[in-house]
Amino acid sequence: MDLGAPSRSALTQAASEAHCRPNVKCYHGKPAANISHMPEILDAVLAGAPGDDLAKMPLPDSYRAALVKKDEVGIFADVPSPEKDPRRSMHVEEVPLPEMAPDEAYVAVMASAINFNTVWSSVFEPLPTFGFLERLGRESHWGARHDLPYHVIGSDASGVVLRVGSAVRSWKPGDRVTVHCNYVDDQDPMAHDDSMLASNERIWGYETNFGGLAHLALVRANQLMPKPAHLTWEEAACNGLTNSTAYRMLVSRNGARMKQGDIVLIWGASGGLGGYAVQYVLSGGGIPVGVVSSPEKVKLLEELGCRAVIDRKAAGYRFWKDEHTQDESEWRRLGKDIRALVGEDPDIVFEHPGRQTMGASVFVAKRGGMIITCAATSGYMIEYDNRHLWMKLKTIKGSHFANYREAWEANGLICRGAIQPILSATYPLEQVGEAAYQVHRNLHEGKIGVLCLAPSQGLGIDDPELRARIGEDRVTTFRRLGA
Ligand code: NAP
């Protein structure tokens, strides 16, 4: 599904008419004389203005952003979890431009993407994110900026650098970038081995304010990465979070260190994480066994080159007899189905559904195998039969996003065309609630993109020759075959 974004004239109108008028919801306290400069900035970006020109353009005092509100965290109090609707809690409004710290940059966001953490933020589960902002607010002078009655969310972005702080060395205005979401304090000693081990590591746009689902974003310079030149803005924006996470889980020495010939069971293999995991296993010489939940998704995986696919809905696995009791015979049935497809048990299980699948994942992993987990979508209080873990010398390993180097390497593979974006649909920023709803209800495949400043899809390709060499069909597999 591809829905248009507001035109440039609509943007101008929104800026000049809606900005700070008394009848318009706005977090900006300043008078209406404060005109937004976003339309001029957008024109300059679209015209490919040099960085020096961009650096001279005035920044707006406020910008449009998708946000959730502190005074609304109770709106779903009586609503069962699956029925909580992001369309009720996500708003698109004007917010004031925050001050920039010396190690930060302002990015004009051309496109962003929905991640599952956007869904968590919007349904205030497992916790409202305002607690994270309050903690960050207590940490330092610059941290205090984040503790606000609204939270601008979003943990992915592609765009153009508009300004850099005085301590930034590697980036300058005009740079075309993607943003990864690891928000790390480099004064924490632990950050200097693996920054994911830093005690105050945070996910930008989830545990910090000023995220990517907006016309402007405030990021640390060490979140910036080059934009893949052959991709559109929306294709470039969809990779940062889940591609880097899948890379760490499977490829990095901090993850499962997959090797050639490894069999890897991938839950949600056409989802945001799984769509990259399948590609990493294939390109690393492994054998992916993808689990999905519809014939359309089976077809999509086959198109990606994943030959062994299980439709979990068609198979009708019932790992839980009831809320408290698991059924080992169902784990066994899954194990048999995997062996029937690839002849052996998985060396690695790529886990994220959590409570519903973890018992089965521990059971089906090979003797000495690894279950690598980064999430628990269906519940985080996990149960598995420990005998299968210790007697067969299996390992459960936790993984969380990626450090800068891992994100950079994963981005490099996208830049070279070795890994493809998995964008299946794009929504305008004004419909961000609907986009999050699609992900919450598992109605999507791959990633859903969001056009922020980009006036339409298909813009931002700087290297059409590389795109042609990689092949349009490969770059757009999920869009062609997605629902
Ligand atoms: P996604 O795009 O929604 O994909 C998840 C897939 O999992 C779905 O497409 C679905 O596929 C499958 N699934 C959902 N519930 C399931 C269940 N009960 N049993 C089996 N399969 C199930 O989400 P995502 O971006 O891949 O993220 C998945 C989870 O990882 C989320 O909880 C997210 O917050 C987390 N995450 C964590 C990190 C981290 O750094 N720690 C990073 C990224 C994501 P089928 O219906 O086709 O089977």
Side-chain angles (χ1 to χ4, degrees):
M1 186 193 310
D2 286 326
L3 304 166
S7 63
R8 194 264 187 201
S9 59
L11 189 69
T12 314
Q13 205 176 334
S16 58
E17 289 181 10
H19 181 67
C20 288
R21 278 175 25 184
N23 60 338
V24 172
K25 283 187 198 158
C26 176
Y27 274 102
H28 199 279
K30 297 190 182 169
N34 234 333
I35 299 297
S36 172
H37 297 284
M38 280 326 292
E40 292 80 15
I41 290 174
L42 175 59
D43 275 349
V45 168
L46 292 174
D52 288 349
D53 291 0
L54 287 174
K56 284 182 207 138
M57 296 187 77
L59 294 175
D61 291 325
S62 69
Y63 64 104
R64 270 187 103 57
L67 52 88
V68 290
K69 300 181 181 184
K70 200 174 202 170
D71 61 8
E72 289 188 354
V73 295
I75 59 173
F76 296 128
D78 302 321
V79 182
S81 214
E83 285 163 39
K84 294 179 180 173
D85 190 337
R87 294 173 298 191
R88 267 184 75 196
S89 54
M90 291 181 78
H91 308 274
V92 180
E93 296 185 9
E94 286 283 315
V95 295
L97 187 70
E99 196 184 345
M100 182 176 68
D103 60 349
E104 291 180 340
Y106 288 124
V107 175
V109 181
M110 300 303 278
S112 181
I114 302 294
N115 283 292
F116 218 93
N117 69 7
T118 315
V119 173
W120 296 129
S121 303
S122 69
V123 298
F124 309 115
E125 281 192 8
L127 294 167
T129 47
F130 291 97
F132 304 141
L133 303 185
E134 285 161 17
R135 210 166 306 141
L136 175 53
R138 288 192 293 272
E139 207 172 88
S140 66
H141 164 76
W142 293 109
R145 293 168 302 169
H146 294 255
D147 183 10
L148 293 165
Y150 59 87
H151 185 181
V152 176
I153 55 180
S155 301
D156 268 320
S158 67
V160 178
V161 174
L162 294 178
R163 294 278 196 286
V164 295
S166 56
V168 175
R169 296 174 302 280
S170 308
W171 303 93
K172 57 183 186 326
D175 286 343
R176 290 155 90 91
V177 293
T178 57
V179 177
H180 76 76
C181 62
N182 185 12
Y183 186 88
V184 177
D185 178 353
D186 64 8
Q187 292 174 27
D188 183 330
M190 296 305 134
H192 291 267
D193 176 10
D194 169 9
S195 59
M196 293 308 298
L197 295 178
S199 56
N200 58 1
E201 183 279 334
R202 292 182 165 89
I203 299 297
W204 165 71
Y206 177 64
E207 293 164 294
T208 80
N209 219 320
F210 319 128
L213 287 162
H215 286 174
L216 273 171
L218 185 63
V219 303
R220 285 199 166 142
N222 62 12
Q223 290 178 254
L224 295 172
M225 308 189 292
K227 173 190 168 289
H230 64 293
L231 298 184
T232 64
W233 292 113
E234 60 278 12
E235 289 164 351
C238 77
N239 310 301
L241 192 149
T242 52
N243 178 46
S244 311
T245 305
Y247 179 90
R248 180 176 172 113
M249 288 175 77
L250 289 173
V251 182
S252 165
R253 63 175 180 220
N254 294 312
R257 306 180 83 144
M258 194 207 84
K259 60 186 193 320
Q260 295 187 27
D262 276 354
I263 293 167
V264 185
L265 180 73
I266 302 169
W267 292 105
S270 69
L273 286 169
Y276 295 106
V278 167
Q279 296 186 63
Y280 280 117
V281 175
L282 286 169
S283 66
I287 301 158
V289 180
V291 185
V292 288
S293 64
S294 73
E296 293 74 27
K297 291 180 177 181
V298 172
K299 193 159 173 279
L300 185 50
L301 283 194
E302 285 170 353
E303 173 88 7
L304 270 187
C306 180
R307 303 276 163 253
V309 185
I310 294 174
D311 181 340
R312 67 181 170 101
K313 251 198 191 138
Y317 302 119
R318 290 198 46 166
F319 301 136
W320 289 82
K321 288 184 199 163
D322 57 50
E323 219 180 300
H324 308 287
T325 328
Q326 297 202 58
D327 185 346
E328 186 171 325
S329 69
E330 285 293 273
W331 299 346
R332 215 170 276 285
R333 187 156 74 87
L334 171 66
K336 272 192 193 148
D337 290 347
I338 296 167
R339 285 185 186 184
L341 285 168
V342 292
E344 287 176 47
D345 296 330
D347 299 275
I348 299 168
V349 180
F350 187 87
E351 239 301 328
H352 51 86
R355 183 168 174 81
Q356 284 295 325
T357 54
M358 192 65 162
S361 294
V362 171
F363 180 83
V364 300
K366 185 179 279 179
R367 182 178 278 267
M370 179 177 285
I371 301 94
I372 182 113
T373 176
C374 73
T377 314
S378 64
Y380 50 80
M381 294 306 282
I382 301 296
E383 278 179 40
Y384 62 88
D385 184 335
N386 204 26
R387 293 169 299 174
H388 294 298
L389 190 85
W390 93 70
M391 297 289 286
K392 294 185 182 158
L393 302 114
K394 304 179 188 185
T395 305
I396 299 174
K397 186 165 186 173
S399 191
H400 187 42
F401 187 59
N403 61 38
Y404 194 10
R405 179 174 178 172
E406 289 161 341
W408 187 276
E409 287 174 351
N411 186 59
L413 292 166
I414 301 263
C415 288
R416 267 180 258 150
I419 298 290
Q420 308 308 328
I422 59 170
L423 183 77
S424 64
T426 306
Y427 285 73
L429 182 63
E430 302 296 323
Q431 290 181 29
V432 69
E434 176 63 33
Y437 173 84
Q438 295 285 318
V439 176
H440 188 29
R441 295 295 155 96
N442 195 17
L443 300 172
H444 69 301
E445 284 106 20
K447 299 292 302 177
I448 292 192
V450 174
L451 292 183
C452 295
L453 280 171
S456 64
Q457 297 176 62
L459 302 174
I461 298 173
D462 297 317
D463 191 344
E465 289 81 22
L466 174 59
R467 191 176 177 97
R469 277 203 303 282
I470 295 163
E472 188 69 24
D473 277 5
R474 287 182 67 212
V475 176
T476 59
T477 303
F478 275 67
R479 224 166 330 150
R480 285 187 298 107
L481 299 180

